[in-house]
Amino acid sequence: MNQDKNDLPSVELHRYGKLPDDVEVTLATLRNARGVELDIISYGGIITRMLTPDARGRMGDIVLGLDTLDAYLSSHPYFGALIGRYCNRIANARFTLDGITFQLDNNEGEHHLHGGVQGFDKKNWDMQPFVTENSAGVVLTLVSPDGDQGYPGKLDTRVTYELTNDNELDTRFSATSDKPTIVNMTQHSYFNLAGAGDILGHELMLHANCITPVDKSMIPTGELRPVEGTPFDFRQAKPIGQDIQANDEQLILGHGYDHNFVLKDKTSDELVLAARVSEPDSGRVLEVLTDAPGVQFYSGNFLNGTLHGKGRTYPSRSGFCLEPQHFPDSPNKAGFPSTVLRPGETYSTRIVYRFSRAGCRASERVLFQPAKLP
Ligand code: BGC
């Protein structure tokens, strides 16, 4: 790549393909001054490629992805997508707000998963590029009509992806509604910091004292369960694979890790370091910061080798997700932080992905104190 091109952050727009109704899908390539590159498509706001340097400065793609728009239009487990209106599960696809019960689309057995069959991952967003002295980004907007997938209220939604020269991807979500409703959005990238192979040797630190354990249909029981003395204790970094085969009820229910880790017990806009992942061979380090109260750690258990992209297949545990979020099924759990959005209020949340290399930028590795929980 030409050096001049790397001196300043830039955004390039390309045609990516057409939807069956002839609507054009756009691809934006964001580049920062240090050569980090990111591809995002307007369909689903999907991050299709993320090029970051390894310890020796070699660039490699650290997200799982598919090769064509047709592949993204076919069935896949939310690769790289924006998730809304409500990420993860809502029990029985139902919730009651101000005395009115709303029936949502039940797209996972009787439950609702990741916003329904036509969730935000399957909408074509308006995408506008921007460049600043220190960053390159896109602003995605979407109007989700009243009743979309069963949710009340017209939701005006906005997501900004901003890639900075500090090698951070700052992702900011906001939404307003004309009726009382619920919102809980996230980003669903599958990472593999080695670029290929399984993710069991990646070392993970998760700043959480508790998880929200689930029942057999992956719905939280409502309990906050301490991680102490369980395979869910990632407060000190350990390889993802170290305890994944342990004879533990929650690991068996999730077929591995597929759980919400509690970062905070109430809503606040304080940005905290939720997770830090390092991959020993490449030396790549990913930190995830967020103001959300939880983060879903999913160890890619249901990948099964049938999908392929980027010249390879994606077997079980070839990627992991860290999805900052409000807790699953909060609308039906009085004890969980609220996900209600009322007219006149603005929903907002933020995820910062920070890319670095082992031994670099140690000054930025601040360890936040986990929230005090049982
Ligand atoms: C969920 C998993 C689900 C995966 C893909 C994750 O966010 O926690 O249960 O299988 O998304 O749909």
Side-chain angles (χ1 to χ4, degrees):
M1 192 185 306
N2 148 348
Q3 187 58 42
D4 293 337
K5 246 182 157 180
N6 277 349
D7 284 342
L8 292 172
S10 65
V11 184
E12 267 174 36
L13 298 182
H14 308 269
R15 287 194 172 143
Y16 190 64
K18 276 191 177 175
L19 295 172
D21 61 2
D22 244 23
V23 169
E24 195 78 57
V25 173
T26 307
L27 166 82
T29 298
L30 316 185
R31 268 187 210 100
N32 74 3
R34 293 157 79 176
V36 169
E37 275 188 39
L38 202 69
D39 281 351
I40 296 157
I41 56 171
S42 55
Y43 179 76
I46 296 174
I47 297 177
T48 58
R49 193 176 66 117
M50 212 184 254
L51 277 190
T52 69
D54 69 8
R56 291 158 68 188
R58 291 171 308 193
M59 303 305 278
D61 191 351
I62 61 162
V63 290
L64 274 49
L66 306 172
D67 294 332
T68 60
L69 179 59
D70 277 351
Y72 281 112
L73 292 174
S74 310
S75 173
H76 70 94
Y78 305 90
F79 275 174
L82 294 175
I83 308 292
R85 296 186 187 190
Y86 198 102
C87 58
N88 209 282
R89 294 171 179 83
I90 296 181
N92 301 308
R94 239 191 337 263
F95 69 98
T96 301
L97 181 58
D98 299 338
I100 307 167
T101 298
F102 296 94
Q103 180 64 50
L104 303 172
D105 175 45
N106 55 344
N107 59 331
E108 201 192 48
E110 68 265 39
H111 305 308
H112 179 82
L113 175 70
H114 292 332
V117 74
Q118 281 291 324
F120 288 177
D121 60 294
K122 295 188 184 64
K123 313 268 193 199
N124 196 39
W125 295 63
D126 179 74
M127 186 161 74
Q128 299 298 329
F130 67 90
V131 177
T132 73
E133 210 183 316
N134 296 310
S135 67
V138 282
V139 177
L140 294 111
T141 50
L142 176 75
V143 180
S144 168
D146 188 11
D148 194 4
Q149 313 305 300
Y151 289 100
K154 171 168 92 70
L155 197 77
D156 285 289
T157 314
R158 182 185 175 101
V159 179
T160 303
Y161 286 116
E162 182 171 13
L163 174 65
T164 72
N165 286 344
D166 294 328
N167 283 358
E168 291 184 350
L169 174 62
D170 193 348
T171 310
R172 297 184 294 274
F173 301 78
S174 64
T176 54
S177 174
D178 62 358
K179 289 185 184 162
T181 192
I182 54 167
V183 188
N184 183 16
M185 293 179 65
T186 195
Q187 220 294 332
H188 207 294
S189 283
Y190 286 70
F191 295 96
N192 183 323
L193 303 184
D198 70 49
I199 47 85
L200 299 174
H202 285 51
E203 299 202 350
L204 170 66
M205 185 286 296
L206 263 173
H207 239 291
N209 289 335
C210 291
I211 59 162
T212 52
V214 290
D215 66 15
K216 60 178 181 344
S217 55
M218 298 299 288
I219 300 293
T221 60
E223 186 197 342
L224 302 192
R225 184 177 295 173
V227 296
E228 178 108 45
T230 76
F232 291 81
D233 193 346
F234 284 95
R235 290 171 300 175
Q236 301 288 328
K238 67 176 178 185
I240 291 174
Q242 183 173 299
D243 299 324
I244 203 167
Q245 303 291 1
N247 185 15
D248 174 278
E249 178 225 16
Q250 286 297 313
L251 284 176
I252 294 166
L253 290 172
H255 300 269
Y257 296 104
D258 190 0
H259 293 79
N260 174 61
F261 285 70
V262 177
L263 303 169
K264 297 175 180 175
D265 55 359
K266 51 180 175 304
T267 311
S268 82
D269 53 15
E270 186 197 3
L271 200 66
V272 298
L273 179 69
R276 177 168 187 272
V277 193
S278 56
E279 199 286 306
D281 293 335
S282 64
R284 286 197 182 89
V285 176
L286 168 69
E287 289 170 320
V288 180
L289 296 95
T290 186
D291 58 3
V295 59
Q296 184 83 7
F297 168 48
Y298 171 52
S299 50
N301 314 313
F302 299 115
L303 296 170
N304 61 10
T306 52
L307 285 172
H308 54 89
K310 310 188 182 192
R312 60 185 197 276
T313 58
Y314 298 122
S316 180
R317 299 180 181 154
S318 52
F320 66 89
C321 303
L322 285 165
E323 305 152 63
Q325 60 180 9
H326 267 262
F327 308 167
D329 201 30
S330 297
N332 295 308
K333 298 285 184 302
F336 287 179
S338 170
T339 51
V340 173
L341 174 71
R342 295 189 178 278
E345 297 174 346
T346 301
Y347 162 85
S348 80
T349 193
R350 187 172 172 205
I351 306 171
V352 177
Y353 304 92
R354 186 184 282 162
F355 313 109
S356 62
R357 300 180 259 166
C360 303
R361 305 179 65 191
S363 60
E364 293 193 19
R365 300 235 172 83
V366 182
L367 282 187
F368 291 79
Q369 287 305 313
K372 284 203 176 47
L373 291 165

mmCIF file of all heavy atoms in Angstrom, residues 77-78 88-89 113-114 188 190 218 258 296 298 302 323, ligand 1:
data_model
loop_
_atom_site.group_PDB
_atom_site.id
_atom_site.type_symbol
_atom_site.label_atom_id
_atom_site.label_comp_id
_atom_site.label_asym_id
_atom_site.label_seq_id
_atom_site.Cartn_x
_atom_site.Cartn_y
_atom_site.Cartn_z
ATOM 1 N N PRO A 77 -24.732 -16.782 11.475
ATOM 2 C CA PRO A 77 -24.987 -16.417 12.880
ATOM 3 C C PRO A 77 -24.549 -14.992 13.224
ATOM 4 O O PRO A 77 -23.734 -14.786 14.104
ATOM 5 C CB PRO A 77 -24.191 -17.463 13.648
ATOM 6 C CG PRO A 77 -23.053 -17.797 12.744
ATOM 7 C CD PRO A 77 -23.531 -17.610 11.331
ATOM 8 N N TYR A 78 -25.121 -14.019 12.515
ATOM 9 C CA TYR A 78 -24.949 -12.595 12.844
ATOM 10 C C TYR A 78 -23.490 -12.140 12.717
ATOM 11 O O TYR A 78 -23.047 -11.266 13.466
ATOM 12 C CB TYR A 78 -25.487 -12.298 14.256
ATOM 13 C CG TYR A 78 -26.928 -12.720 14.425
ATOM 14 C CD1 TYR A 78 -27.262 -13.999 14.863
ATOM 15 C CD2 TYR A 78 -27.960 -11.844 14.118
ATOM 16 C CE1 TYR A 78 -28.587 -14.391 14.995
ATOM 17 C CE2 TYR A 78 -29.288 -12.224 14.253
ATOM 18 C CZ TYR A 78 -29.587 -13.500 14.688
ATOM 19 O OH TYR A 78 -30.908 -13.887 14.823
ATOM 20 N N ASN A 88 -29.636 -10.546 22.158
ATOM 21 C CA ASN A 88 -29.836 -11.765 22.940
ATOM 22 C C ASN A 88 -31.344 -12.061 23.106
ATOM 23 O O ASN A 88 -32.136 -11.651 22.287
ATOM 24 C CB ASN A 88 -29.073 -11.728 24.265
ATOM 25 C CG ASN A 88 -28.686 -13.140 24.692
ATOM 26 O OD1 ASN A 88 -29.516 -13.870 25.201
ATOM 27 N ND2 ASN A 88 -27.452 -13.535 24.448
ATOM 28 N N ARG A 89 -31.703 -12.760 24.171
ATOM 29 C CA ARG A 89 -33.034 -13.370 24.206
ATOM 30 C C ARG A 89 -34.054 -12.621 25.076
ATOM 31 O O ARG A 89 -33.688 -12.055 26.110
ATOM 32 C CB ARG A 89 -32.912 -14.812 24.723
ATOM 33 C CG ARG A 89 -32.145 -15.678 23.736
ATOM 34 C CD ARG A 89 -31.806 -17.038 24.271
ATOM 35 N NE ARG A 89 -31.097 -17.804 23.225
ATOM 36 C CZ ARG A 89 -29.777 -17.688 22.984
ATOM 37 N NH1 ARG A 89 -29.021 -16.911 23.722
ATOM 38 N NH2 ARG A 89 -29.231 -18.384 22.004
ATOM 39 N N LEU A 113 -34.802 -13.771 19.640
ATOM 40 C CA LEU A 113 -33.333 -13.653 19.661
ATOM 41 C C LEU A 113 -32.895 -12.521 18.733
ATOM 42 O O LEU A 113 -33.326 -12.451 17.568
ATOM 43 C CB LEU A 113 -32.694 -14.969 19.210
ATOM 44 C CG LEU A 113 -31.158 -14.953 19.067
ATOM 45 C CD1 LEU A 113 -30.463 -14.855 20.425
ATOM 46 C CD2 LEU A 113 -30.653 -16.195 18.325
ATOM 47 N N HIS A 114 -32.004 -11.647 19.259
ATOM 48 C CA HIS A 114 -31.328 -10.636 18.443
ATOM 49 C C HIS A 114 -32.277 -9.820 17.560
ATOM 50 O O HIS A 114 -32.000 -9.578 16.375
ATOM 51 C CB HIS A 114 -30.251 -11.291 17.577
ATOM 52 C CG HIS A 114 -29.073 -11.838 18.348
ATOM 53 N ND1 HIS A 114 -28.661 -11.325 19.555
ATOM 54 C CD2 HIS A 114 -28.215 -12.863 18.061
ATOM 55 C CE1 HIS A 114 -27.594 -11.994 19.977
ATOM 56 N NE2 HIS A 114 -27.309 -12.935 19.112
ATOM 57 N N HIS A 188 -21.893 -7.539 16.856
ATOM 58 C CA HIS A 188 -21.737 -9.001 16.951
ATOM 59 C C HIS A 188 -20.551 -9.525 16.135
ATOM 60 O O HIS A 188 -20.652 -10.573 15.483
ATOM 61 C CB HIS A 188 -23.043 -9.663 16.492
ATOM 62 C CG HIS A 188 -23.314 -11.008 17.092
ATOM 63 N ND1 HIS A 188 -22.545 -12.118 16.833
ATOM 64 C CD2 HIS A 188 -24.270 -11.423 17.939
ATOM 65 C CE1 HIS A 188 -23.039 -13.157 17.484
ATOM 66 N NE2 HIS A 188 -24.089 -12.764 18.170
ATOM 67 N N TYR A 190 -17.267 -11.565 15.288
ATOM 68 C CA TYR A 190 -16.570 -12.765 15.752
ATOM 69 C C TYR A 190 -15.083 -12.494 15.513
ATOM 70 O O TYR A 190 -14.668 -12.272 14.369
ATOM 71 C CB TYR A 190 -16.965 -13.985 14.924
ATOM 72 C CG TYR A 190 -18.345 -14.538 15.188
ATOM 73 C CD1 TYR A 190 -19.487 -13.840 14.805
ATOM 74 C CD2 TYR A 190 -18.509 -15.785 15.781
ATOM 75 C CE1 TYR A 190 -20.750 -14.368 15.022
ATOM 76 C CE2 TYR A 190 -19.777 -16.322 16.000
ATOM 77 C CZ TYR A 190 -20.882 -15.605 15.611
ATOM 78 O OH TYR A 190 -22.134 -16.129 15.822
ATOM 79 N N MET A 218 -31.563 -21.144 27.601
ATOM 80 C CA MET A 218 -30.626 -20.004 27.540
ATOM 81 C C MET A 218 -31.261 -18.678 27.986
ATOM 82 O O MET A 218 -30.785 -17.598 27.628
ATOM 83 C CB MET A 218 -30.026 -19.845 26.128
ATOM 84 C CG MET A 218 -29.211 -21.025 25.658
ATOM 85 S SD MET A 218 -27.783 -21.327 26.723
ATOM 86 C CE MET A 218 -26.732 -19.963 26.284
ATOM 87 N N ASP A 258 -21.392 -19.017 26.728
ATOM 88 C CA ASP A 258 -22.401 -18.251 25.995
ATOM 89 C C ASP A 258 -23.230 -17.536 27.060
ATOM 90 O O ASP A 258 -24.417 -17.805 27.228
ATOM 91 C CB ASP A 258 -23.256 -19.194 25.131
ATOM 92 C CG ASP A 258 -24.151 -18.423 24.167
ATOM 93 O OD1 ASP A 258 -24.098 -17.182 24.170
ATOM 94 O OD2 ASP A 258 -24.907 -19.076 23.418
ATOM 95 N N GLN A 296 -21.776 -10.138 26.780
ATOM 96 C CA GLN A 296 -21.991 -11.550 26.457
ATOM 97 C C GLN A 296 -20.678 -12.088 25.906
ATOM 98 O O GLN A 296 -20.137 -11.562 24.935
ATOM 99 C CB GLN A 296 -23.101 -11.681 25.393
ATOM 100 C CG GLN A 296 -23.491 -13.110 25.039
ATOM 101 C CD GLN A 296 -24.486 -13.727 26.012
ATOM 102 O OE1 GLN A 296 -25.004 -13.043 26.898
ATOM 103 N NE2 GLN A 296 -24.759 -15.004 25.874
ATOM 104 N N TYR A 298 -19.292 -15.199 24.072
ATOM 105 C CA TYR A 298 -19.761 -16.365 23.321
ATOM 106 C C TYR A 298 -18.542 -16.980 22.642
ATOM 107 O O TYR A 298 -17.861 -16.299 21.857
ATOM 108 C CB TYR A 298 -20.815 -15.901 22.301
ATOM 109 C CG TYR A 298 -21.237 -16.965 21.313
ATOM 110 C CD1 TYR A 298 -21.673 -18.221 21.743
ATOM 111 C CD2 TYR A 298 -21.217 -16.723 19.942
ATOM 112 C CE1 TYR A 298 -22.056 -19.196 20.834
ATOM 113 C CE2 TYR A 298 -21.601 -17.685 19.028
ATOM 114 C CZ TYR A 298 -22.018 -18.923 19.489
ATOM 115 O OH TYR A 298 -22.385 -19.894 18.589
ATOM 116 N N PHE A 302 -21.549 -22.723 18.378
ATOM 117 C CA PHE A 302 -22.484 -23.264 17.391
ATOM 118 C C PHE A 302 -21.964 -23.144 15.958
ATOM 119 O O PHE A 302 -22.643 -23.551 15.024
ATOM 120 C CB PHE A 302 -23.867 -22.598 17.524
ATOM 121 C CG PHE A 302 -24.487 -22.835 18.883
ATOM 122 C CD1 PHE A 302 -24.724 -21.788 19.754
ATOM 123 C CD2 PHE A 302 -24.797 -24.123 19.303
ATOM 124 C CE1 PHE A 302 -25.277 -22.002 21.007
ATOM 125 C CE2 PHE A 302 -25.339 -24.359 20.558
ATOM 126 C CZ PHE A 302 -25.581 -23.299 21.421
ATOM 127 N N GLU A 323 -19.912 -9.166 23.363
ATOM 128 C CA GLU A 323 -21.012 -8.276 22.977
ATOM 129 C C GLU A 323 -21.467 -7.466 24.186
ATOM 130 O O GLU A 323 -22.253 -7.957 24.988
ATOM 131 C CB GLU A 323 -22.182 -9.103 22.455
ATOM 132 C CG GLU A 323 -21.851 -10.045 21.335
ATOM 133 C CD GLU A 323 -22.791 -11.256 21.318
ATOM 134 O OE1 GLU A 323 -23.999 -11.076 21.132
ATOM 135 O OE2 GLU A 323 -22.319 -12.378 21.530
HETATM 136 C C1 BGC B 1 -25.772 -15.731 21.495
HETATM 137 C C2 BGC B 1 -25.701 -17.186 21.110
HETATM 138 C C3 BGC B 1 -26.077 -17.334 19.665
HETATM 139 C C4 BGC B 1 -25.152 -16.461 18.846
HETATM 140 C C5 BGC B 1 -25.457 -16.506 17.375
HETATM 141 C C6 BGC B 1 -24.857 -14.955 20.620
HETATM 142 O O1 BGC B 1 -24.964 -13.603 20.925
HETATM 143 O O2 BGC B 1 -25.439 -15.537 22.839
HETATM 144 O O3 BGC B 1 -26.542 -17.968 21.918
HETATM 145 O O4 BGC B 1 -25.975 -18.666 19.252
HETATM 146 O O5 BGC B 1 -25.248 -15.133 19.282
HETATM 147 O O6 BGC B 1 -26.776 -16.339 17.145
#
